[in-house]
Amino acid sequence: QVRLVDSGGGSVQAGGSLRLSCVISGVSFSRSLMAWFRQAPGKEREGVASLGSRGDTKYADSVKGRSTISRDNARTTLYLQMDSLRPEDTAMYYCAARPGYFWATMPLREADFPYWGQGTQVTVSS
């Protein structure tokens, strides 16, 4: 059974940092494309970072240079380190998994990912 559990969100001031975590079971990192999406109120869900099965990464322009996606194979955990946070980063963040051998890609298609975490809220105040 595949399970993804997101955590690490919170409320921070602009310029602050957060590290999101996603504990994964039932999916192999080395055989999956992993990603972080976000959805702000009234907006569509958008992919912000992806991690390919071979460890390559891609980022949306909106977070490039401020965010890092990574994984810990021993802890079966996916991370998203977010620095220099801005009010426009406020959203619900979701991790997602797509089993199979894939390079990291951007933009990401929500429909390509069959497995999702429950989401963790990030709120950035000015």
Side-chain angles (χ1 to χ4, degrees), residues 11 19 24-25 27 35-36 44 47 67 86 91 96 108-109 115 120:
S11 296
R19 188 177 77 160
I24 300 164
S25 57
V27 173
W36 287 96
E44 293 186 354
S67 297
R86 305 167 180 169
L108 297 168
R109 289 203 318 160
Y115 303 112
T120 186

Side-chain angles (χ1 to χ4, degrees), residues 1-4 24-35 51-54 96-103 110-116:
Q1 183 179 357
V2 178
R3 189 174 184 217
L4 283 66
I24 300 164
S25 57
V27 173
S28 170
F29 279 133
S30 62
R31 294 194 293 270
S32 298
L33 173 65
M34 307 299 301
L51 177 63
S53 52
R54 297 166 181 83
R98 181 186 185 189
Y101 292 99
F102 299 101
W103 296 107
E110 187 178 346
D112 288 338
F113 292 81
Y115 303 112
W116 292 84

Side-chain angles (χ1 to χ4, degrees), residues 81-105:
Q81 175 69 41
M82 300 190 297
D83 301 313
S84 302
L85 283 162
R86 305 167 180 169
E88 54 263 40
D89 294 318
T90 295
M92 185 72 80
Y93 285 72
Y94 302 88
C95 65
R98 181 186 185 189
Y101 292 99
F102 299 101
W103 296 107
T105 59

Side-chain angles (χ1 to χ4, degrees), residues 15-88:
S17 298
L18 283 172
R19 188 177 77 160
L20 307 184
S21 300
C22 176
V23 179
I24 300 164
S25 57
V27 173
S28 170
F29 279 133
S30 62
R31 294 194 293 270
S32 298
L33 173 65
M34 307 299 301
W36 287 96
F37 286 76
R38 69 184 182 187
Q39 187 167 22
K43 295 188 177 181
E44 293 186 354
R45 192 172 296 188
E46 64 167 344
V48 295
S50 65
L51 177 63
S53 52
R54 297 166 181 83
D56 51 311
T57 59
K58 291 283 189 183
Y59 299 91
D61 288 343
S62 57
V63 303
K64 193 176 295 181
R66 302 187 296 119
S67 297
T68 303
I69 187 171
S70 63
R71 68 192 187 198
D72 183 328
N73 291 338
R75 291 184 167 84
T76 64
T77 302
L78 180 73
Y79 299 103
L80 183 67
Q81 175 69 41
M82 300 190 297
D83 301 313
S84 302
L85 283 162
R86 305 167 180 169
E88 54 263 40

